[in-house]
Amino acid sequence: MQLHFTKDVLPDSVGTDFQNLNKLNEQQFHRLIEILFQFLLEPKETERFMQQLTEFAGEHGMSAGPLRNLMKSVLLVPQGALKKNLTGEQIKEDLLTLGLSEEKSAHFSLQWAEHYAALTRLAVGQTLMVNQLVDMEWKFGVTVGTSEIQKLGTVFLQLKLVVRKGNSTENVYMELTLPQFYNFLHEMERAKASMECFS
Amino acid sequence: MSIGAVSSQTTNDAADVILFALHFPCGILLSRDLSQSHVNMAATVCNEDFTNLQLLLKAPSKDAVREVCVQSQRGLSQRLTESTAATLGISEAQAAQLVQSLHALSHYVLFYNLSSPEQILAIFPESFHSSLKNLITKILLENSATWRTEALSNQISLPQLKDLDWRVDMVTSSDSVSRMSVPTCLVQLKMVDPCSSADSESVSSVTVELSRESLDTILDGLGRIRDQLSVVAGK
């Protein structure tokens, strides 16, 4: 079997699962695909996904367990397609190869095209970021005096950077003088200009 | 004791200071700990200090006086005590007291930002040796600006940003998407903690990755700071 979305050899159960999908009527299939894409767009909502499948199974006189396994097989397609940046046409071809009916494959591919932008944004967003800057807080003011000098009027700027390190965050505190602040601003503007050059 | 007269004043008018100095004993004990450089909690110069200062009359030259004054601004040290005792031909104990009194005086001048000869001359008691008074005043005025800059750079602070480097990458692939074209920015900030001991300034550095949105948000914040700064500067 030549498939676009994966180079791996799929277990036989996958073929069986797709054939079982053909047994669903149009309305049932549409609803199931709706649940599927909802999950793809919010991959953290696994509990909700499971619950919706259980409800669906109940409504249509199916057992929840087999339905969940079926969906696991179905999930392989969009997940692989995302990694490989497949088009709607390519996905449709793959579904047909897997044994899904023409009608259902067309519907799936249509849904795919509709949600493609949002799904790729999500995948890109999951890309590894090292020491990601999560938040920046700042305050600035005037130093009015010190133990050495009674009256002062120098400007200070304090920054707090919140950096994600693994699962936790780390706070980094620093102080800048005015010239350093203007240099920081200037450098960040240059970095932004550089980023915009390449977008 | 003229407590009432002094406590009602909020200015550091020289006349009131003399009142303060003459009517209150030197209550603050100068620490004998040789490693402590900032010995005075409050900036006061008392009678005892002026007595000690007159030891400078034993100096062989004006330059010798200048040398002791400048060195003592940094505080007491064994080396300084020894060299001062040798130069002036006085005991080490006397030299230590002289250095501390000089330190109190320079600290006082720096704290209240006395910038004119009249202001400094007014601190000295009437009976103080006239030419020595003028010489010390001259030396203090000469060095005030440098000492002020030094004090400013030594003041307590959070770790200071010393260096900033950045680079922009184009991410073309990842484990979740095989083909993409997403810019990302890496920024390295090097910070120095000025509060650690002078010999080993601890340099720490942090490298953060910023998405385009994060960078825009940062620039937004920095822009607001800049705007507020120009409002303050305009006033």
Side-chain angles (χ1 to χ4, degrees):
Chain A
M1 233 196 280
Q2 277 282 15
L3 291 163
H4 297 291
F5 79 91
T6 181
K7 295 268 181 294
D8 298 335
V9 173
L10 296 172
D12 290 333
S13 53
V14 176
T16 320
D17 286 329
F18 273 93
Q19 266 148 32
N20 285 335
L21 271 181
N22 283 329
K23 293 181 192 159
L24 295 172
N25 66 38
E26 193 181 311
Q27 200 190 25
Q28 291 169 330
F29 183 72
H30 283 212
R31 173 65 191 141
L32 208 55
I33 297 307
E34 198 188 322
I35 297 174
L36 179 78
F37 274 93
Q38 232 189 350
F39 175 62
L40 286 172
L41 288 166
E42 283 168 309
K44 294 202 174 113
E45 301 285 336
T46 37
E47 260 186 52
R48 185 185 68 187
F49 181 53
M50 290 295 143
Q51 206 191 345
Q52 283 174 321
L53 288 180
T54 313
E55 270 172 30
F56 182 90
E59 275 165 28
H60 301 280
M62 300 172 195
S63 331
L67 180 65
R68 278 203 287 270
N69 288 334
L70 182 141
M71 287 309 268
K72 276 192 201 153
S73 296
V74 178
L75 269 174
L76 292 175
V77 178
Q79 281 167 351
L82 208 50
K83 281 196 193 184
K84 303 256 172 129
N85 300 89
L86 294 186
T87 62
E89 262 309 302
Q90 288 170 311
I91 265 210
K92 185 174 166 197
E93 275 170 35
D94 278 354
L95 290 168
L96 289 171
T97 314
L98 286 166
L100 196 62
S101 72
E102 167 73 39
E103 215 177 45
K104 294 190 166 71
S105 301
H107 176 78
F108 191 105
S109 138
L110 206 66
Q111 289 300 301
W112 172 256
E114 249 186 62
H115 296 292
Y116 184 65
L119 287 170
T120 34
R121 261 203 305 277
L122 198 63
V124 165
Q126 282 165 358
T127 304
L128 168 73
M129 269 197 106
V130 180
N131 287 0
Q132 187 183 15
L133 183 67
V134 171
D135 197 16
M136 179 178 89
E137 292 174 29
W138 52 266
K139 76 175 180 220
F140 82 93
V142 174
T143 302
V144 296
T146 75
S147 45
E148 300 307 302
I149 302 171
Q150 189 192 41
K151 289 195 188 130
L152 266 186
T154 50
V155 176
F156 72 85
L157 172 68
Q158 283 172 359
L159 285 183
K160 170 184 163 191
L161 302 174
V162 183
V163 181
R164 176 157 292 127
K165 292 214 161 187
N167 281 333
S168 60
T169 58
E170 183 187 311
N171 297 332
V172 179
Y173 298 92
M174 67 186 84
E175 202 164 309
L176 285 75
T177 61
L178 267 192
Q180 284 168 335
F181 164 71
Y182 285 113
N183 185 48
F184 184 48
L185 176 59
H186 179 62
E187 290 303 317
M188 290 296 98
E189 281 176 343
R190 286 176 71 202
K192 177 177 172 164
S194 176
M195 270 190 150
E196 285 184 340
C197 251
F198 295 105
S199 326
Chain B
M1 296 279 186
S2 43
I3 296 176
V6 173
S7 66
S8 65
Q9 298 290 347
T10 48
T11 61
N12 51 17
D13 191 31
D16 292 321
V17 165
I18 293 172
L19 215 56
F20 184 78
L22 292 176
H23 289 225
F24 283 77
C26 292
I28 310 240
L29 278 175
L30 299 181
S31 168
R32 300 276 178 242
D33 179 4
L34 295 181
S35 62
Q36 198 180 333
S37 63
H38 300 300
V39 292
N40 270 341
M41 290 294 282
T44 54
V45 192
C46 56
N47 260 346
E48 207 186 297
D49 289 317
F50 288 110
T51 310
N52 292 332
L53 288 174
Q54 305 224 71
L55 287 167
L56 285 169
L57 290 167
K58 299 190 180 196
S61 67
K62 286 191 182 174
D63 280 336
V65 175
R66 184 168 279 117
E67 188 61 27
V68 179
C69 285
V70 170
Q71 291 297 324
S72 64
Q73 202 276 337
R74 284 188 187 88
L76 202 54
S77 77
Q78 183 60 17
R79 194 191 49 80
L80 180 59
T81 315
E82 282 169 8
S83 66
T84 307
T87 315
L88 299 177
I90 54 179
S91 71
E92 277 193 24
Q94 284 178 309
Q97 286 188 319
L98 170 61
V99 168
Q100 281 176 334
S101 296
L102 273 171
H103 181 80
L105 182 60
S106 60
H107 176 52
Y108 184 89
V109 168
L110 186 63
F111 187 77
Y112 290 108
N113 195 25
L114 303 183
S115 47
S116 77
E118 296 74 35
Q119 283 175 311
I120 300 181
L121 288 168
I123 312 173
F124 291 82
E126 289 277 319
S127 56
F128 200 87
H129 188 282
S130 176
S131 339
L132 181 60
K133 179 171 67 173
N134 290 336
L135 176 62
I136 294 177
T137 304
K138 183 164 169 245
I139 296 169
L140 289 170
L141 283 171
E142 274 169 9
N143 290 282
S144 285
T146 315
W147 291 341
R148 191 182 167 90
T149 313
E150 248 177 54
L152 281 175
S153 64
N154 288 341
Q155 70 183 358
I156 60 169
S157 125
L158 291 179
Q160 291 182 336
L161 179 67
K162 271 291 169 280
D163 205 2
L164 172 77
D165 286 312
W166 58 266
R167 110 180 178 207
V168 167
D169 291 337
M170 188 58 98
V171 182
T172 54
S173 175
S174 83
D175 57 310
S176 50
V177 179
S178 69
R179 240 180 30 245
M180 58 174 154
S181 171
V182 177
T184 185
C185 179
L186 283 169
V187 176
Q188 186 193 48
L189 303 149
K190 283 207 186 110
M191 295 158 303
V192 169
D193 192 346
C195 301
S196 59
S197 63
D199 292 339
S200 58
E201 262 193 341
S202 53
V203 181
S204 59
S205 107
V206 66
T207 304
V208 292
E209 190 171 345
L210 309 168
S211 65
R212 223 170 129 188
E213 291 77 26
S214 303
L215 185 54
D216 284 340
T217 310
I218 290 178
L219 277 169
D220 192 48
L222 294 180
R224 274 185 280 150
I225 298 173
R226 183 194 48 205
D227 293 340
Q228 288 190 35
L229 280 172
S230 41
V231 166
V232 167
K235 282 187 180 152

